[in-house]
PDB file of all heavy atoms in Angstrom:
ATOM      1  N   PRO A 497     143.575  80.718 199.523  1.00 89.00           N
ATOM      2  CA  PRO A 497     143.166  79.348 199.847  1.00 89.00           C
ATOM      3  C   PRO A 497     142.136  78.793 198.865  1.00 89.00           C
ATOM      4  O   PRO A 497     142.160  77.606 198.531  1.00 89.00           O
ATOM      5  CB  PRO A 497     142.587  79.489 201.253  1.00 89.00           C
ATOM      6  CG  PRO A 497     143.280  80.676 201.834  1.00 89.00           C
ATOM      7  CD  PRO A 497     143.486  81.621 200.689  1.00 89.00           C
ATOM      8  N   GLU A 498     141.228  79.659 198.389  1.00 91.00           N
ATOM      9  CA  GLU A 498     140.226  79.205 197.423  1.00 91.00           C
ATOM     10  C   GLU A 498     140.877  78.795 196.109  1.00 91.00           C
ATOM     11  O   GLU A 498     140.512  77.780 195.499  1.00 91.00           O
ATOM     12  CB  GLU A 498     139.192  80.314 197.179  1.00 91.00           C
ATOM     13  CG  GLU A 498     138.285  80.617 198.352  1.00 91.00           C
ATOM     14  CD  GLU A 498     138.968  81.459 199.423  1.00 91.00           C
ATOM     15  OE1 GLU A 498     140.092  81.988 199.153  1.00 91.00           O
ATOM     16  OE2 GLU A 498     138.405  81.584 200.520  1.00 91.00           O
ATOM     17  N   LEU A 500     143.991  77.794 195.687  1.00 91.00           N
ATOM     18  CA  LEU A 500     144.760  76.578 195.913  1.00 91.00           C
ATOM     19  C   LEU A 500     143.859  75.348 195.933  1.00 91.00           C
ATOM     20  O   LEU A 500     144.195  74.305 195.372  1.00 91.00           O
ATOM     21  CB  LEU A 500     145.522  76.690 197.236  1.00 91.00           C
ATOM     22  CG  LEU A 500     146.694  77.682 197.257  1.00 91.00           C
ATOM     23  CD1 LEU A 500     147.232  77.822 198.675  1.00 91.00           C
ATOM     24  CD2 LEU A 500     147.794  77.251 196.305  1.00 91.00           C
ATOM     25  N   ALA A 501     142.694  75.482 196.590  1.00 92.00           N
ATOM     26  CA  ALA A 501     141.761  74.354 196.639  1.00 92.00           C
ATOM     27  C   ALA A 501     141.266  74.002 195.239  1.00 92.00           C
ATOM     28  O   ALA A 501     141.147  72.820 194.888  1.00 92.00           O
ATOM     29  CB  ALA A 501     140.578  74.708 197.545  1.00 92.00           C
ATOM     30  N   GLU A 502     141.018  75.021 194.410  1.00 94.00           N
ATOM     31  CA  GLU A 502     140.548  74.762 193.049  1.00 94.00           C
ATOM     32  C   GLU A 502     141.629  74.069 192.228  1.00 94.00           C
ATOM     33  O   GLU A 502     141.354  73.141 191.462  1.00 94.00           O
ATOM     34  CB  GLU A 502     140.138  76.080 192.388  1.00 94.00           C
ATOM     35  CG  GLU A 502     139.588  75.920 190.980  1.00 94.00           C
ATOM     36  CD  GLU A 502     139.127  77.233 190.375  1.00 94.00           C
ATOM     37  OE1 GLU A 502     138.319  77.935 191.023  1.00 94.00           O
ATOM     38  OE2 GLU A 502     139.576  77.567 189.261  1.00 94.00           O
ATOM     39  N   LYS A 504     144.067  72.133 193.364  1.00 94.00           N
ATOM     40  CA  LYS A 504     144.218  70.758 193.828  1.00 94.00           C
ATOM     41  C   LYS A 504     143.076  69.882 193.325  1.00 94.00           C
ATOM     42  O   LYS A 504     143.280  68.730 192.929  1.00 94.00           O
ATOM     43  CB  LYS A 504     144.262  70.742 195.359  1.00 94.00           C
ATOM     44  CG  LYS A 504     145.521  71.373 195.942  1.00 94.00           C
ATOM     45  CD  LYS A 504     145.446  71.427 197.466  1.00 94.00           C
ATOM     46  CE  LYS A 504     146.693  72.085 198.057  1.00 94.00           C
ATOM     47  NZ  LYS A 504     146.597  72.202 199.542  1.00 94.00           N
ATOM     48  N   ILE A 623     137.847  63.941 194.938  1.00 96.00           N
ATOM     49  CA  ILE A 623     138.133  65.337 194.589  1.00 96.00           C
ATOM     50  C   ILE A 623     137.939  66.236 195.801  1.00 96.00           C
ATOM     51  O   ILE A 623     138.725  67.164 196.043  1.00 96.00           O
ATOM     52  CB  ILE A 623     137.253  65.776 193.409  1.00 96.00           C
ATOM     53  CG1 ILE A 623     137.612  64.971 192.149  1.00 96.00           C
ATOM     54  CG2 ILE A 623     137.409  67.266 193.139  1.00 96.00           C
ATOM     55  CD1 ILE A 623     136.663  65.186 190.984  1.00 96.00           C
ATOM     56  N   LEU A 624     136.898  65.979 196.590  1.00 95.00           N
ATOM     57  CA  LEU A 624     136.670  66.764 197.804  1.00 95.00           C
ATOM     58  C   LEU A 624     137.836  66.609 198.771  1.00 95.00           C
ATOM     59  O   LEU A 624     138.291  67.587 199.391  1.00 95.00           O
ATOM     60  CB  LEU A 624     135.367  66.339 198.471  1.00 95.00           C
ATOM     61  CG  LEU A 624     134.070  66.852 197.854  1.00 95.00           C
ATOM     62  CD1 LEU A 624     132.860  66.219 198.524  1.00 95.00           C
ATOM     63  CD2 LEU A 624     133.989  68.385 197.960  1.00 95.00           C
ATOM     64  N   ALA A 625     138.320  65.386 198.912  1.00 94.00           N
ATOM     65  CA  ALA A 625     139.452  65.153 199.816  1.00 94.00           C
ATOM     66  C   ALA A 625     140.681  65.920 199.351  1.00 94.00           C
ATOM     67  O   ALA A 625     141.405  66.517 200.159  1.00 94.00           O
ATOM     68  CB  ALA A 625     139.742  63.660 199.905  1.00 94.00           C
ATOM     69  N   ALA A 626     140.925  65.932 198.037  1.00 93.00           N
ATOM     70  CA  ALA A 626     142.081  66.658 197.515  1.00 93.00           C
ATOM     71  C   ALA A 626     141.950  68.157 197.746  1.00 93.00           C
ATOM     72  O   ALA A 626     142.943  68.851 197.964  1.00 93.00           O
ATOM     73  CB  ALA A 626     142.241  66.372 196.021  1.00 93.00           C
ATOM     74  N   ALA A 627     140.724  68.668 197.694  1.00 93.00           N
ATOM     75  CA  ALA A 627     140.486  70.098 197.888  1.00 93.00           C
ATOM     76  C   ALA A 627     140.531  70.501 199.352  1.00 93.00           C
ATOM     77  O   ALA A 627     140.493  71.697 199.657  1.00 93.00           O
ATOM     78  CB  ALA A 627     139.137  70.483 197.287  1.00 93.00           C
ATOM     79  N   GLY A 628     140.587  69.529 200.250  1.00 91.00           N
ATOM     80  CA  GLY A 628     140.684  69.851 201.665  1.00 91.00           C
ATOM     81  C   GLY A 628     139.391  69.764 202.429  1.00 91.00           C
ATOM     82  O   GLY A 628     139.303  70.249 203.565  1.00 91.00           O
ATOM     83  N   ALA A 629     138.355  69.161 201.845  1.00 92.00           N
ATOM     84  CA  ALA A 629     137.079  69.034 202.547  1.00 92.00           C
ATOM     85  C   ALA A 629     137.152  67.923 203.592  1.00 92.00           C
ATOM     86  O   ALA A 629     137.823  66.910 203.379  1.00 92.00           O
ATOM     87  CB  ALA A 629     135.964  68.738 201.547  1.00 92.00           C
ATOM     88  N   PRO A 630     136.452  68.072 204.723  1.00 90.00           N
ATOM     89  CA  PRO A 630     136.439  67.016 205.759  1.00 90.00           C
ATOM     90  C   PRO A 630     135.509  65.877 205.359  1.00 90.00           C
ATOM     91  O   PRO A 630     134.381  65.771 205.838  1.00 90.00           O
ATOM     92  CB  PRO A 630     135.936  67.764 206.997  1.00 90.00           C
ATOM     93  CG  PRO A 630     135.089  68.858 206.464  1.00 90.00           C
ATOM     94  CD  PRO A 630     135.690  69.262 205.147  1.00 90.00           C
ATOM     95  N   THR A 631     135.973  65.009 204.489  1.00 88.00           N
ATOM     96  CA  THR A 631     135.107  63.958 203.937  1.00 88.00           C
ATOM     97  C   THR A 631     134.632  62.975 204.994  1.00 88.00           C
ATOM     98  O   THR A 631     133.593  62.337 204.814  1.00 88.00           O
ATOM     99  CB  THR A 631     135.858  63.197 202.828  1.00 88.00           C
ATOM    100  OG1 THR A 631     137.118  62.727 203.352  1.00 88.00           O
ATOM    101  CG2 THR A 631     136.127  64.104 201.634  1.00 88.00           C
ATOM    102  N   ASP A 632     135.375  62.859 206.097  1.00 82.00           N
ATOM    103  CA  ASP A 632     134.950  61.913 207.123  1.00 82.00           C
ATOM    104  C   ASP A 632     133.744  62.417 207.906  1.00 82.00           C
ATOM    105  O   ASP A 632     133.127  61.656 208.657  1.00 82.00           O
ATOM    106  CB  ASP A 632     136.108  61.626 208.080  1.00 82.00           C
ATOM    107  CG  ASP A 632     136.663  62.908 208.704  1.00 82.00           C
ATOM    108  OD1 ASP A 632     136.533  63.989 208.080  1.00 82.00           O
ATOM    109  OD2 ASP A 632     137.218  62.821 209.810  1.00 82.00           O
ATOM    110  N   LYS A 633     133.417  63.663 207.756  1.00 83.00           N
ATOM    111  CA  LYS A 633     132.286  64.241 208.482  1.00 83.00           C
ATOM    112  C   LYS A 633     131.060  64.441 207.604  1.00 83.00           C
ATOM    113  O   LYS A 633     130.050  64.993 208.052  1.00 83.00           O
ATOM    114  CB  LYS A 633     132.688  65.584 209.090  1.00 83.00           C
ATOM    115  CG  LYS A 633     133.814  65.488 210.109  1.00 83.00           C
ATOM    116  CD  LYS A 633     134.172  66.853 210.660  1.00 83.00           C
ATOM    117  CE  LYS A 633     135.322  66.762 211.669  1.00 83.00           C
ATOM    118  NZ  LYS A 633     135.700  68.097 212.193  1.00 83.00           N
ATOM    119  N   LEU A 634     131.129  64.031 206.331  1.00 87.00           N
ATOM    120  CA  LEU A 634     130.028  64.293 205.409  1.00 87.00           C
ATOM    121  C   LEU A 634     128.851  63.373 205.685  1.00 87.00           C
ATOM    122  O   LEU A 634     129.016  62.207 206.051  1.00 87.00           O
ATOM    123  CB  LEU A 634     130.499  64.116 203.971  1.00 87.00           C
ATOM    124  CG  LEU A 634     131.547  65.128 203.476  1.00 87.00           C
ATOM    125  CD1 LEU A 634     131.946  64.819 202.040  1.00 87.00           C
ATOM    126  CD2 LEU A 634     131.025  66.551 203.577  1.00 87.00           C
ATOM    127  N   LEU A 652     126.001  65.273 199.372  1.00 93.00           N
ATOM    128  CA  LEU A 652     126.935  65.161 200.487  1.00 93.00           C
ATOM    129  C   LEU A 652     126.955  66.485 201.214  1.00 93.00           C
ATOM    130  O   LEU A 652     127.189  67.542 200.593  1.00 93.00           O
ATOM    131  CB  LEU A 652     128.329  64.796 199.974  1.00 93.00           C
ATOM    132  CG  LEU A 652     128.443  63.423 199.291  1.00 93.00           C
ATOM    133  CD1 LEU A 652     129.834  63.243 198.692  1.00 93.00           C
ATOM    134  CD2 LEU A 652     128.144  62.311 200.276  1.00 93.00           C
ATOM    135  N   ARG A 653     126.705  66.436 202.529  1.00 91.00           N
ATOM    136  CA  ARG A 653     126.514  67.670 203.281  1.00 91.00           C
ATOM    137  C   ARG A 653     127.330  67.660 204.574  1.00 91.00           C
ATOM    138  O   ARG A 653     127.639  66.611 205.129  1.00 91.00           O
ATOM    139  CB  ARG A 653     125.041  67.868 203.629  1.00 91.00           C
ATOM    140  CG  ARG A 653     124.099  67.718 202.450  1.00 91.00           C
ATOM    141  CD  ARG A 653     122.688  68.080 202.828  1.00 91.00           C
ATOM    142  NE  ARG A 653     121.745  67.819 201.732  1.00 91.00           N
ATOM    143  CZ  ARG A 653     120.511  68.290 201.697  1.00 91.00           C
ATOM    144  NH1 ARG A 653     120.042  69.016 202.706  1.00 91.00           N
ATOM    145  NH2 ARG A 653     119.719  68.032 200.666  1.00 91.00           N
ATOM    146  N   LEU A 654     127.618  68.860 205.028  1.00 90.00           N
ATOM    147  CA  LEU A 654     128.127  69.085 206.373  1.00 90.00           C
ATOM    148  C   LEU A 654     126.962  69.629 207.181  1.00 90.00           C
ATOM    149  O   LEU A 654     126.659  70.823 207.112  1.00 90.00           O
ATOM    150  CB  LEU A 654     129.282  70.083 206.360  1.00 90.00           C
ATOM    151  CG  LEU A 654     130.660  69.549 205.969  1.00 90.00           C
ATOM    152  CD1 LEU A 654     131.657  70.683 205.872  1.00 90.00           C
ATOM    153  CD2 LEU A 654     131.143  68.494 206.960  1.00 90.00           C
ATOM    154  N   GLY A 655     126.285  68.738 207.893  1.00 83.00           N
ATOM    155  CA  GLY A 655     125.051  69.160 208.527  1.00 83.00           C
ATOM    156  C   GLY A 655     123.917  69.077 207.537  1.00 83.00           C
ATOM    157  O   GLY A 655     124.102  68.804 206.346  1.00 83.00           O
ATOM    158  N   LYS A 657     122.104  71.368 206.078  1.00 86.00           N
ATOM    159  CA  LYS A 657     121.881  72.441 205.114  1.00 86.00           C
ATOM    160  C   LYS A 657     123.082  72.746 204.221  1.00 86.00           C
ATOM    161  O   LYS A 657     122.904  73.214 203.101  1.00 86.00           O
ATOM    162  CB  LYS A 657     121.472  73.717 205.855  1.00 86.00           C
ATOM    163  CG  LYS A 657     120.129  73.629 206.553  1.00 86.00           C
ATOM    164  CD  LYS A 657     119.743  74.954 207.189  1.00 86.00           C
ATOM    165  CE  LYS A 657     118.376  74.879 207.859  1.00 86.00           C
ATOM    166  NZ  LYS A 657     117.990  76.176 208.474  1.00 86.00           N
ATOM    167  N   LYS A 658     124.288  72.522 204.692  1.00 91.00           N
ATOM    168  CA  LYS A 658     125.488  72.904 203.920  1.00 91.00           C
ATOM    169  C   LYS A 658     125.841  71.808 202.924  1.00 91.00           C
ATOM    170  O   LYS A 658     126.458  70.803 203.275  1.00 91.00           O
ATOM    171  CB  LYS A 658     126.659  73.169 204.857  1.00 91.00           C
ATOM    172  CG  LYS A 658     127.829  73.893 204.205  1.00 91.00           C
ATOM    173  CD  LYS A 658     128.880  74.217 205.235  1.00 91.00           C
ATOM    174  CE  LYS A 658     130.017  75.063 204.650  1.00 91.00           C
ATOM    175  NZ  LYS A 658     129.565  76.385 204.236  1.00 91.00           N
ATOM    176  N   ILE A 659     125.441  72.009 201.662  1.00 93.00           N
ATOM    177  CA  ILE A 659     125.639  71.003 200.612  1.00 93.00           C
ATOM    178  C   ILE A 659     126.984  71.242 199.932  1.00 93.00           C
ATOM    179  O   ILE A 659     127.236  72.313 199.384  1.00 93.00           O
ATOM    180  CB  ILE A 659     124.504  71.060 199.570  1.00 93.00           C
ATOM    181  CG1 ILE A 659     123.141  70.866 200.252  1.00 93.00           C
ATOM    182  CG2 ILE A 659     124.716  70.015 198.492  1.00 93.00           C
ATOM    183  CD1 ILE A 659     121.968  71.028 199.320  1.00 93.00           C
ATOM    184  N   LEU A 660     127.847  70.214 199.963  1.00 95.00           N
ATOM    185  CA  LEU A 660     129.142  70.318 199.287  1.00 95.00           C
ATOM    186  C   LEU A 660     129.118  69.731 197.886  1.00 95.00           C
ATOM    187  O   LEU A 660     129.902  70.139 197.023  1.00 95.00           O
ATOM    188  CB  LEU A 660     130.228  69.602 200.104  1.00 95.00           C
ATOM    189  CG  LEU A 660     130.982  70.456 201.126  1.00 95.00           C
ATOM    190  CD1 LEU A 660     130.043  71.030 202.170  1.00 95.00           C
ATOM    191  CD2 LEU A 660     132.091  69.641 201.787  1.00 95.00           C
ATOM    192  N   ALA A 661     128.231  68.769 197.637  1.00 95.00           N
ATOM    193  CA  ALA A 661     128.197  68.131 196.312  1.00 95.00           C
ATOM    194  C   ALA A 661     126.858  67.444 196.119  1.00 95.00           C
ATOM    195  O   ALA A 661     126.188  67.058 197.088  1.00 95.00           O
ATOM    196  CB  ALA A 661     129.336  67.133 196.160  1.00 95.00           C
ATOM    197  N   ILE A 685     130.377  69.609 192.307  1.00 96.00           N
ATOM    198  CA  ILE A 685     131.042  69.901 193.574  1.00 96.00           C
ATOM    199  C   ILE A 685     131.059  71.416 193.737  1.00 96.00           C
ATOM    200  O   ILE A 685     131.569  72.140 192.873  1.00 96.00           O
ATOM    201  CB  ILE A 685     132.470  69.338 193.585  1.00 96.00           C
ATOM    202  CG1 ILE A 685     132.432  67.817 193.388  1.00 96.00           C
ATOM    203  CG2 ILE A 685     133.189  69.705 194.872  1.00 96.00           C
ATOM    204  CD1 ILE A 685     133.795  67.203 193.171  1.00 96.00           C
ATOM    205  N   PHE A 686     130.506  71.901 194.836  1.00 96.00           N
ATOM    206  CA  PHE A 686     130.343  73.331 195.047  1.00 96.00           C
ATOM    207  C   PHE A 686     131.535  73.843 195.850  1.00 96.00           C
ATOM    208  O   PHE A 686     131.572  73.747 197.086  1.00 96.00           O
ATOM    209  CB  PHE A 686     129.021  73.596 195.755  1.00 96.00           C
ATOM    210  CG  PHE A 686     127.857  72.866 195.117  1.00 96.00           C
ATOM    211  CD1 PHE A 686     127.037  72.040 195.857  1.00 96.00           C
ATOM    212  CD2 PHE A 686     127.625  72.977 193.751  1.00 96.00           C
ATOM    213  CE1 PHE A 686     125.980  71.360 195.264  1.00 96.00           C
ATOM    214  CE2 PHE A 686     126.583  72.298 193.139  1.00 96.00           C
ATOM    215  CZ  PHE A 686     125.752  71.487 193.899  1.00 96.00           C
ATOM    216  N   LEU A 687     132.519  74.365 195.119  1.00 95.00           N
ATOM    217  CA  LEU A 687     133.792  74.726 195.740  1.00 95.00           C
ATOM    218  C   LEU A 687     133.648  75.802 196.803  1.00 95.00           C
ATOM    219  O   LEU A 687     134.390  75.817 197.789  1.00 95.00           O
ATOM    220  CB  LEU A 687     134.774  75.193 194.650  1.00 95.00           C
ATOM    221  CG  LEU A 687     135.218  74.121 193.648  1.00 95.00           C
ATOM    222  CD1 LEU A 687     136.035  74.747 192.530  1.00 95.00           C
ATOM    223  CD2 LEU A 687     136.025  73.035 194.343  1.00 95.00           C
ATOM    224  N   ASP A 688     132.705  76.724 196.617  1.00 93.00           N
ATOM    225  CA  ASP A 688     132.561  77.805 197.586  1.00 93.00           C
ATOM    226  C   ASP A 688     131.904  77.343 198.878  1.00 93.00           C
ATOM    227  O   ASP A 688     131.818  78.113 199.842  1.00 93.00           O
ATOM    228  CB  ASP A 688     131.774  78.968 196.985  1.00 93.00           C
ATOM    229  CG  ASP A 688     130.449  78.532 196.388  1.00 93.00           C
ATOM    230  OD1 ASP A 688     130.233  77.325 196.231  1.00 93.00           O
ATOM    231  OD2 ASP A 688     129.625  79.413 196.073  1.00 93.00           O
ATOM    232  N   ALA A 689     131.451  76.084 198.924  1.00 93.00           N
ATOM    233  CA  ALA A 689     130.852  75.554 200.155  1.00 93.00           C
ATOM    234  C   ALA A 689     131.859  74.782 200.992  1.00 93.00           C
ATOM    235  O   ALA A 689     131.569  74.425 202.142  1.00 93.00           O
ATOM    236  CB  ALA A 689     129.672  74.650 199.806  1.00 93.00           C
ATOM    237  N   ILE A 690     133.040  74.530 200.452  1.00 93.00           N
ATOM    238  CA  ILE A 690     134.046  73.747 201.188  1.00 93.00           C
ATOM    239  C   ILE A 690     134.676  74.621 202.259  1.00 93.00           C
ATOM    240  O   ILE A 690     135.207  75.699 201.958  1.00 93.00           O
ATOM    241  CB  ILE A 690     135.126  73.219 200.226  1.00 93.00           C
ATOM    242  CG1 ILE A 690     134.507  72.298 199.167  1.00 93.00           C
ATOM    243  CG2 ILE A 690     136.213  72.488 200.998  1.00 93.00           C
ATOM    244  CD1 ILE A 690     135.487  71.816 198.121  1.00 93.00           C
ATOM    245  N   PRO A 691     134.641  74.212 203.531  1.00 92.00           N
ATOM    246  CA  PRO A 691     135.305  74.998 204.587  1.00 92.00           C
ATOM    247  C   PRO A 691     136.814  74.834 204.474  1.00 92.00           C
ATOM    248  O   PRO A 691     137.333  73.714 204.476  1.00 92.00           O
ATOM    249  CB  PRO A 691     134.764  74.379 205.884  1.00 92.00           C
ATOM    250  CG  PRO A 691     134.400  72.986 205.513  1.00 92.00           C
ATOM    251  CD  PRO A 691     133.969  73.021 204.074  1.00 92.00           C
ATOM    252  N   LEU A 692     137.523  75.947 204.332  1.00 85.00           N
ATOM    253  CA  LEU A 692     138.971  75.910 204.155  1.00 85.00           C
ATOM    254  C   LEU A 692     139.666  76.484 205.374  1.00 85.00           C
ATOM    255  O   LEU A 692     139.213  77.457 205.970  1.00 85.00           O
ATOM    256  CB  LEU A 692     139.364  76.710 202.900  1.00 85.00           C
ATOM    257  CG  LEU A 692     138.739  76.238 201.581  1.00 85.00           C
ATOM    258  CD1 LEU A 692     139.096  77.199 200.457  1.00 85.00           C
ATOM    259  CD2 LEU A 692     139.216  74.836 201.240  1.00 85.00           C
ATOM    260  N   LYS A 693     140.776  75.870 205.734  1.00 75.00           N
ATOM    261  CA  LYS A 693     141.558  76.346 206.861  1.00 75.00           C
ATOM    262  C   LYS A 693     142.369  77.564 206.439  1.00 75.00           C
ATOM    263  O   LYS A 693     143.026  77.568 205.414  1.00 75.00           O
ATOM    264  CB  LYS A 693     142.491  75.238 207.358  1.00 75.00           C
ATOM    265  CG  LYS A 693     141.766  74.024 207.925  1.00 75.00           C
ATOM    266  CD  LYS A 693     142.769  72.975 208.384  1.00 75.00           C
ATOM    267  CE  LYS A 693     142.053  71.741 208.935  1.00 75.00           C
ATOM    268  NZ  LYS A 693     143.012  70.695 209.376  1.00 75.00           N
ATOM    269  N   LYS A 694     142.297  78.596 207.232  1.00 68.00           N
ATOM    270  CA  LYS A 694     143.070  79.809 206.967  1.00 68.00           C
ATOM    271  C   LYS A 694     144.427  79.685 207.642  1.00 68.00           C
ATOM    272  O   LYS A 694     144.595  79.963 208.829  1.00 68.00           O
ATOM    273  CB  LYS A 694     142.336  81.048 207.496  1.00 68.00           C
ATOM    274  CG  LYS A 694     140.921  81.189 206.982  1.00 68.00           C
ATOM    275  CD  LYS A 694     140.878  81.402 205.465  1.00 68.00           C
ATOM    276  CE  LYS A 694     139.438  81.599 204.974  1.00 68.00           C
ATOM    277  NZ  LYS A 694     139.382  81.786 203.525  1.00 68.00           N
ATOM    278  N   LYS A 695     145.407  79.179 206.902  1.00 59.00           N
ATOM    279  CA  LYS A 695     146.737  78.968 207.466  1.00 59.00           C
ATOM    280  C   LYS A 695     147.517  80.270 207.446  1.00 59.00           C
ATOM    281  O   LYS A 695     147.390  81.087 206.549  1.00 59.00           O
ATOM    282  CB  LYS A 695     147.484  77.902 206.672  1.00 59.00           C
ATOM    283  CG  LYS A 695     146.877  76.499 206.797  1.00 59.00           C
ATOM    284  CD  LYS A 695     147.734  75.478 206.076  1.00 59.00           C
ATOM    285  CE  LYS A 695     147.170  74.074 206.238  1.00 59.00           C
ATOM    286  NZ  LYS A 695     147.991  73.061 205.550  1.00 59.00           N
TER     287      LYS A 695
END
Side-chain angles (χ1 to χ4, degrees):
E498 291 78 11
L500 290 172
E502 182 177 307
K504 291 175 181 177
I623 295 171
L624 283 173
T631 54
D632 56 334
K633 298 179 181 179
L634 294 179
L652 296 174
R653 310 187 185 194
L654 280 174
K657 294 184 178 180
K658 194 175 185 65
I659 303 175
L660 269 61
I685 300 171
F686 312 126
L687 294 173
D688 53 348
I690 299 176
L692 301 174
K693 295 180 181 179
K694 306 296 182 181
K695 293 185 178 180

